[in-house]
Amino acid sequence: MGPDGVASLERPLNRALYACVRGAIQDGSLAPSTRMPPQRDLAAELGLSRNTVMFAYEQLLAEGYLTARTGSGTFVADTAPERFLHAGVAATPHAGTSHATTAHATIAHAHAAAPMQGLSPRGQRLIANASASPTQWGAFMPGVPDLVRFPHRRYAQIAARLWRQPHPEWLSYSHGGGLPALREAVAAHLRVARSVRCDASQVLITEGIHQAIDLVVRMLGTPGETAWVEEPGYWGIRGVLEVSDIGMVPMPVDAEGMTLPASGDARFGYWRRPAPRFIFVTPSHQYPLGAVLTLKRRRELLEFARREGSWIVEDDYDSEFRFSGQPIPSLQGLEPDAPVIYIGTFSKTLYPGLRMGYMVLPPAIAPAFQTAHAELYRAGHLMTQATVAEFMQAGDYAAHIRRMRPLYARRRAILAGLIERYLGPGALHAHTSNAGLHLVMRLPDNADDVAVAARAGARGIMVRPLSRYYMGPSAERGLLLGYACVPEEAIAPAFQTLLECLLA
Ligand SMILES: Cc1ncc(COP(=O)(O)O)c(C=O)c1O
């Protein structure tokens, strides 16, 4: 993506410089109060343009790693975000690092070690657009379930019993899409809870949705083809598509979910010929705004994909958590033989570090995918799969989801109530539905949501700026707030801090 030109060449370099200075601050090589070299000097020393250095400094200033003191220069902040969050864990700063010459040497050393130069263009694009947060826990980290309530004793009991007499095969590589018992359990769950049309032979156990998307694109895509992605949409898809050289066409989302262009529409030309190879969609709970894809759009999408030979990839990342009304059935199950690859994850229902998810494939391509999965990733983790299978078969999985649902519903209601009380009813995004692990708080169109998120991060509040979920310029401003991982009593104080960051 992105036209070749000076701006696109400079971006990876400023990201690389930003990353190496941030790394040096995080590991203590650059101690608090260290004076940073003037931008002009650093640019000359590293052979970079002034702009490159300026963008890197600006990002570090916005995120609170650096502070500027008028007239005296730029310094490493005393409360750089990670140090603030992990007090006591940060590395001890090296003695005597408070001279600009030391900062020079540290940055030059780190920069020389940064692998950016040798990266392929696609590797550079991936790093330049890296979006995963370095912190994954705390109020209001979007998308993270309550990890304290995970029934670890029960899980450990099952795991301990299996480990007392492990089946030797379970300690070896996996083949054929994963442990049959888990594939059976997943198929049974999806048929009942998500109305997915499947049996175990169509199920493939993955290391999460990212891996599933990677496999889909490698197996069915050819460089140069295009994919429709939701606008705004899940940033994680973009990285995978970037490295596969699949072009992305952002499809705006409205209150009915992803829009489809009608002929005569200005966007028609994007897909008229050739049609997109893939359509990535979150029909049950559009990510991040929350709309549900209407039945009419579902039918249109299926009809379009059948006609044009496109694959719909249904990302059903958090649909177990809907707090009112009926569960929204999957798109995959709406019609027999739908051109849909259904993907899901245990990241929200169990825990993200488990790195386990699943895909349901049409019968004609399932065996090829199962073979490819073993060829590409040398799959394994059968002991973990056996544990999860038993956890599901014994009813613990369904019970855990049942217990978490009202808990998350209450947390959501508390947070939504605070947003409405302090910022007015319009501040909750209009597409927001009563579901999932996060909600979207709107900010005025001229607000700098990236700066607000950086200020909040520096005070230990993790939020994501809505504008970062857009590929194009017509971004709405707002913040994604995850409530599922925040205990009830911690919601109001954390929100208070966030308000202070908003007003700062
Ligand atoms: C829409 C969406 N899809 C996929 C994922 C990632 O799933 P996994 O952890 O299985 O890779 C997330 C994580 O937040 C998500 O929000």
Side-chain angles (χ1 to χ4, degrees):
M1 289 294 286
D4 280 333
V6 176
S8 60
L9 285 173
E10 274 189 353
R11 235 176 131 209
L13 289 174
N14 72 53
R15 270 316 281 200
L17 180 61
Y18 154 84
C20 76
V21 175
R22 192 184 68 171
I25 295 173
Q26 284 167 343
D27 72 14
S29 315
L30 281 175
S33 301
T34 301
R35 189 171 195 277
M36 296 296 288
Q39 295 179 14
R40 187 195 312 264
D41 294 2
L42 190 60
E45 177 160 338
L46 299 178
L48 300 172
S49 80
R50 281 276 312 271
N51 268 354
T52 300
V53 177
M54 185 184 78
F55 286 134
Y57 271 42
E58 277 181 356
Q59 185 66 27
L60 291 157
L61 284 162
E63 292 182 13
Y65 288 96
L66 300 180
T67 52
R69 294 183 208 149
T70 324
S72 50
T74 306
F75 296 83
V76 175
D78 282 334
T79 50
E82 269 78 13
R83 205 183 312 283
F84 195 80
L85 285 170
H86 307 297
V89 182
T92 317
H94 300 308
T97 44
S98 56
H99 300 296
T101 47
T102 315
H104 253 290
T106 307
I107 297 167
H109 177 76
H111 189 260
M116 209 63 186
Q117 249 97 17
L119 294 184
S120 65
R122 69 166 67 115
Q124 297 205 11
R125 287 200 300 276
L126 180 71
I127 302 307
N129 297 313
S131 299
S133 166
T135 308
Q136 294 289 343
W137 177 241
F140 289 107
M141 191 67 212
V144 177
D146 187 330
L147 303 178
V148 176
R149 304 277 182 129
F150 175 70
H152 55 92
R153 278 205 190 80
R154 173 71 186 128
Y155 186 86
Q157 239 175 25
I158 299 173
R161 191 166 34 71
L162 293 175
W163 271 109
R164 271 199 289 279
Q165 236 182 356
H167 200 309
E169 264 188 47
W170 293 355
L171 303 184
S172 190
Y173 300 110
S174 159
H175 204 273
L179 196 75
L182 182 59
R183 291 163 57 211
E184 290 284 355
V186 166
H189 167 73
L190 293 179
R191 280 194 301 264
V192 174
R194 305 294 311 120
S195 307
V196 173
R197 294 171 194 252
C198 66
D199 62 40
S201 69
Q202 293 166 258
V203 175
L204 162 56
I205 305 298
T206 66
E207 289 199 17
I209 284 178
H210 277 221
Q211 191 187 65
I213 295 172
D214 188 49
L215 187 60
V216 166
V217 170
R218 285 170 191 265
M219 290 298 287
L220 299 174
T222 304
E225 288 180 327
T226 56
W228 286 358
V229 296
E230 293 169 321
E231 172 85 333
Y234 180 48
W235 52 265
I237 292 178
R238 293 184 209 148
V240 178
L241 295 180
E242 286 276 10
V243 295
S244 306
D245 293 317
I246 299 289
M248 282 170 270
V249 181
M251 303 302 287
V253 161
D254 65 16
E256 297 183 18
M258 181 192 256
T259 54
L260 307 181
S263 43
D265 185 311
R267 286 168 293 131
F268 186 71
Y270 276 130
W271 60 269
R272 202 161 55 162
R273 283 293 173 264
R277 181 63 169 151
F278 303 108
I279 302 170
F280 289 93
V281 63
T282 48
S284 298
H285 188 218
Q286 199 275 324
Y287 191 82
L289 296 182
V292 175
L293 192 70
T294 54
L295 184 59
K296 178 168 171 290
R297 291 245 176 110
R298 286 174 190 238
R299 296 265 188 226
E300 284 170 2
L301 195 58
L302 287 169
E303 202 258 323
F304 174 88
R306 283 190 205 280
R307 192 179 66 236
E308 301 290 338
S310 308
W311 283 103
I312 299 172
V313 183
E314 175 174 14
D315 179 350
D316 201 30
Y317 63 106
D318 73 355
S319 301
E320 282 82 0
F321 299 110
R322 181 155 286 277
F323 310 127
S324 53
Q326 293 297 310
I328 312 290
S330 68
L331 174 64
Q332 190 268 9
L334 188 61
E335 294 175 3
D337 306 318
V340 176
I341 295 172
Y342 173 95
I343 57 184
T345 182
F346 288 112
S347 292
K348 318 294 177 191
T349 49
L350 294 177
Y351 63 97
L354 183 66
R355 301 316 303 134
M356 200 182 283
Y358 37 83
M359 28 197 332
V360 176
L361 295 144
I365 57 172
F369 268 66
Q370 288 154 353
T371 304
H373 188 255
E375 292 294 317
L376 273 176
Y377 311 115
R378 207 68 181 113
H381 304 302
L382 290 173
M383 277 302 280
T384 313
Q385 292 186 18
T387 309
V388 174
E390 192 163 326
F391 193 76
M392 293 182 88
Q393 283 155 354
D396 294 290
Y397 183 66
H400 179 52
I401 294 173
R402 268 200 311 277
R403 269 194 306 274
M404 291 299 103
R405 213 178 270 133
L407 196 86
Y408 295 162
R410 267 199 311 281
R411 292 176 184 184
R412 180 191 170 79
I414 293 171
L415 181 58
L418 287 166
I419 292 172
E420 294 197 345
R421 169 134 53 99
Y422 287 97
L423 299 172
L428 258 191
H429 198 284
H431 296 181
T432 295
S433 48
N434 197 13
L437 310 185
H438 76 276
L439 49 73
V440 178
M441 180 171 103
R442 286 205 63 189
L443 295 178
D445 288 345
N446 58 356
D448 184 348
D449 54 2
V450 176
V452 175
R455 281 201 295 277
R459 297 191 58 188
I461 303 295
M462 311 311 301
V463 293
R464 277 182 170 273
L466 177 59
S467 58
R468 283 282 162 95
Y469 290 78
Y470 286 81
M471 291 176 62
S474 61
E476 279 190 276
R477 310 289 149 161
L479 298 173
L480 260 75
L481 310 186
Y483 44 78
C485 62
V486 195
E488 272 177 42
E489 64 283 5
I491 294 177
F495 187 72
Q496 192 58 46
T497 309
L498 182 61
L499 279 184
E500 288 164 18
C501 298
L502 262 183
L503 301 175

